[in-house]
Amino acid sequence: MLHEAFQQNGHRQHSTERQPQTVAVATESEIVRLGLFSMLDLASDFQPLRHRVTPGTAVSGEYPVDFVIAEFDGHFVDDLKELTEKCRNDSISVLLLVSSTDREELDLAIQVPAQGFLLLAELTPDELNTALSKVAAGSVHLPPVFANRLLTRARREESSALSPQGRTTLTPRELQTLELLVEGLSNKQIARRLAISQHGAKRLVANVLSKLNCHNRTMAAAVALREHLVSRPGSRARETR
């Protein structure tokens, strides 16, 4: 009986161990895919989905995933935006892998409301693990070159985004919405958190982007954190599926 109890207790302990989160790599490049697989093999909290997927098939439902790393292509910005929105609705985080630091390329990339950005030339196993861990904790991962570009654009537009007193004029409800945007929630998740309709959440998000004079959620998050409109993400538990 003691042996059975020991076995049962051991089984309970094993079953409560945290399983690695699965990362799909959506790229047409076999070299990039295998390189990311090798890096993910070194991470204890993450594992690669060892199937060839593209941005169009990454969230088909055939394979359960927690993250999608999608290689950026400036010719398919709208497709990547659609992928990101689909992933948000399924509580899947998207990290965009960008190969160029050209200003035009960066400006196109930050139009995609991803939860994180990766720079191919600077990517290491430690950097990848840090990025995934930050996003898993509800934060947005931005390499310095992306953060600098976002803040440069935000500074250019801040005159119309701020009131004469120097603060953005958002209603309490809009501030709540902004906090959830910084957490990386989709319109559907925002609606659930605020106990309103998806249409109402969409309208609130549009109001926030308009008042901050931001073209997308990523830029709005950068402005919110820079202006201290909300606290930094990660203090709340990320919404689970």
Side-chain angles (χ1 to χ4, degrees):
M1 183 177 295
L2 181 61
H3 177 67
E4 290 178 356
F6 178 79
Q7 282 187 320
Q8 290 174 357
N9 183 56
H11 176 71
R12 275 198 304 271
Q13 290 179 347
H14 179 74
S15 64
T16 58
E17 291 180 0
R18 186 173 64 179
Q19 297 300 311
Q21 294 182 289
T22 303
V23 183
V25 177
T27 175
E28 298 290 346
S29 170
E30 193 69 14
I31 293 176
V32 172
R33 180 181 295 105
L34 293 177
L36 287 170
F37 281 0
S38 297
M39 291 184 187
L40 288 166
D41 284 336
L42 299 175
S44 59
D45 294 330
F46 308 99
Q47 62 183 5
L49 174 70
R50 297 190 182 277
H51 293 278
R52 194 174 189 277
V53 298
T54 64
T57 62
V59 289
S60 62
E62 185 176 358
Y63 308 109
V65 298
D66 301 287
F67 299 87
V68 174
I69 298 177
E71 188 171 18
F72 177 74
D73 186 332
H75 295 96
F76 299 100
V77 172
D78 289 340
D79 293 338
L80 288 168
K81 287 180 179 179
E82 184 179 350
L83 167 68
T84 305
E85 188 60 32
K86 286 181 180 178
C87 287
R88 283 182 187 276
N89 290 332
D90 291 333
S91 297
I92 300 171
S93 297
V94 175
L95 290 89
L96 215 57
L97 180 64
V98 182
S99 59
S100 173
T101 57
D102 179 79
R103 284 185 179 182
E104 292 184 0
E105 190 83 350
L106 292 178
D107 285 345
L108 285 173
I110 59 180
Q111 290 180 29
V112 181
Q115 283 76 43
F117 294 85
L118 303 167
L119 194 58
L120 183 60
E122 299 178 357
L123 196 59
T124 64
D126 286 343
E127 169 72 8
L128 180 59
N129 187 68
T130 296
L132 289 169
S133 298
K134 284 176 65 176
V135 171
S139 185
V140 176
H141 180 74
L142 288 173
V145 66
F146 284 92
N148 290 338
R149 187 60 187 157
L150 275 169
L151 292 178
T152 297
R153 292 187 59 180
R155 288 189 187 105
R156 289 178 183 173
E157 300 172 350
E158 70 178 349
S159 59
S160 59
L162 298 178
S163 70
Q165 290 73 33
R167 300 293 293 177
T168 304
T169 53
L170 297 177
T171 67
R173 199 61 156 169
E174 288 166 350
L175 279 172
Q176 285 181 303
T177 303
L178 183 58
E179 289 177 353
L180 299 178
L181 283 178
V182 171
E183 287 185 35
L185 270 61
S186 67
N187 288 349
K188 181 179 180 180
Q189 292 168 325
I190 290 172
R192 189 182 307 144
R193 185 75 70 84
L194 298 181
I196 60 177
S197 68
Q198 286 191 51
H199 178 74
K202 183 177 180 180
R203 185 174 64 251
L204 280 170
V205 169
N207 288 346
V208 169
L209 296 183
S210 176
K211 286 188 176 183
L212 293 179
N213 198 22
C214 293
H215 302 300
N216 56 56
R217 294 165 182 255
T218 306
M219 183 175 286
V223 171
L225 293 174
R226 194 200 73 194
E227 297 296 328
H228 305 291
L229 300 175
V230 300
S231 59
R232 290 205 167 262
S235 58
R236 298 182 183 179
R238 185 179 173 214
E239 182 163 331
T240 57
R241 282 182 238 187

